[in-house]
Amino acid sequence: MSWTEIEIDESGKITVRSGGTLTGKTEPETMVEPEPEPEPVPEPEPKRKLVTWRRCVRITLEEIYCGALWAKWYPSGDIPEDWYPIEAQSQPVETVKQLPKGQEP
């Protein structure tokens, strides 16, 4: 006949001792509890995508003859027909801005 003794200390360490009546020997066997899984780290917020805005001027035949030109900001990929970006090298005004998506100049 054999016997088994299990001890659990305050830190959670488990010690198992077992023995038999024939040999009388005891063999301590230490079992280590598996480490708890780490808590999942929340994903950081994605960086807001920047949109390039260009200062544009509307040029149509009527406006060329009357001499009044209108300027407006448009996102780089959505410039409507008859509107043309002003080049920064030739103009003393700011002609390009990068802003987070959803924000307008």
Side-chain angles (χ1 to χ4, degrees):
M1 186 170 187
S2 63
W3 56 272
T4 303
E5 183 181 306
I6 301 172
E7 285 183 20
I8 302 174
D9 66 5
E10 293 171 1
S11 67
K13 182 179 172 184
I14 301 171
T15 304
V16 178
R17 289 189 188 89
S18 59
T21 54
L22 296 176
T23 62
K25 292 182 181 178
T26 61
E27 298 176 12
E29 181 182 317
T30 304
M31 298 174 65
V32 179
E33 242 182 75
E35 292 183 21
E37 291 185 30
E39 293 183 23
V41 179
E43 292 184 24
E45 288 186 25
K47 291 185 179 178
R48 294 178 76 183
K49 188 176 181 180
L50 291 178
V51 177
T52 302
W53 291 78
R54 296 190 171 277
R55 186 86 169 164
C56 298
V57 162
R58 189 170 85 172
I59 301 174
T60 61
L61 286 176
E62 298 85 30
E63 287 159 344
I64 290 174
Y65 289 120
C66 76
L69 297 176
W70 300 96
K72 197 171 180 181
W73 288 97
Y74 283 104
S76 218
D78 291 332
I79 299 174
E81 191 176 326
D82 294 333
W83 287 86
Y84 300 93
I86 301 171
E87 294 300 321
Q89 296 88 345
S90 62
Q91 301 297 322
V93 296
E94 186 179 12
T95 61
V96 176
K97 286 185 181 181
Q98 280 201 327
L99 300 172
K101 190 173 184 176
Q103 207 173 10
E104 294 185 19

